[in-house]
Amino acid sequence: LITNRIPHENFIFPSRMYKDKRRQSGVIHRRCTIELFNTFDFITYSESKNALFCLGCVPFPNTSHGRPKKLISEPYSNWKDAREDLKQHSVCDYHLSSMGQLHTFFKTHTLKELSS
């Protein structure tokens, strides 16, 4: 899950339609982009849901700050606001705590494999 968080190189992300009054058609197509993975190293992509999840918050949810759903128990696919929403998620206390647990788990697991 951690090492295969980005779809294969030739993967074409499906698009979603959003209303856009500026366009003659009244809609704009948006999709997930590889740039999101380069900017936010904590996201993983689900091809079956065409959505993102948080690598730290899904396996190590921190419910001490309520029960956040976006990127955790619910898939995230709002491509229009993705950059801003992911930026906000990246600084939340619950996210930082979950990522700390993920890094500790990964480090422990890696050291365990090396010692075997």
Side-chain angles (χ1 to χ4, degrees), residues 44-111:
T44 187
Y45 182 76
S46 167
E47 287 186 32
S48 65
K49 297 193 181 294
N50 182 28
L52 301 174
F53 287 94
C54 177
L55 281 172
C57 294
V58 170
F60 301 104
N62 182 333
T63 57
S64 63
H65 301 290
R67 293 191 76 56
K69 295 180 181 178
K70 183 173 41 176
L71 291 163
I72 304 167
S73 61
E74 292 178 1
Y76 182 84
S77 61
N78 179 5
W79 308 128
K80 181 178 181 256
D81 299 324
R83 265 192 197 288
E84 186 58 35
D85 289 344
L86 292 171
K87 188 176 175 182
Q88 287 178 8
H89 181 82
S90 72
V91 296
C92 291
D93 289 339
Y94 63 84
H95 169 74
L96 296 173
S97 172
S98 296
M99 288 303 290
Q101 289 179 300
L102 175 67
H103 289 300
T104 300
F105 172 80
F106 190 67
K107 185 177 174 182
T108 304
H109 182 71
T110 303
L111 289 175

Side-chain angles (χ1 to χ4, degrees), residues 16 18 22 33 50 79-80 100:
R16 289 187 56 191
Y18 294 86
R22 298 171 296 172
T33 64
N50 182 28
W79 308 128
K80 181 178 181 256

Side-chain angles (χ1 to χ4, degrees), residues 13-15 30-34 36-37 43 45 50 52 79:
F13 292 98
S15 65
R30 296 181 190 266
R31 64 185 71 225
C32 185
T33 64
I34 289 295
L36 289 176
F37 297 92
I43 56 173
Y45 182 76
N50 182 28
L52 301 174
W79 308 128

Side-chain angles (χ1 to χ4, degrees), residues 1 3-6 10 23 29 49 72 75 78-79 82 100 115:
L1 183 66
T3 56
N4 294 318
R5 65 186 193 89
I6 305 171
N10 298 322
R23 301 199 180 261
H29 292 268
K49 297 193 181 294
I72 304 167
N78 179 5
W79 308 128
S115 66

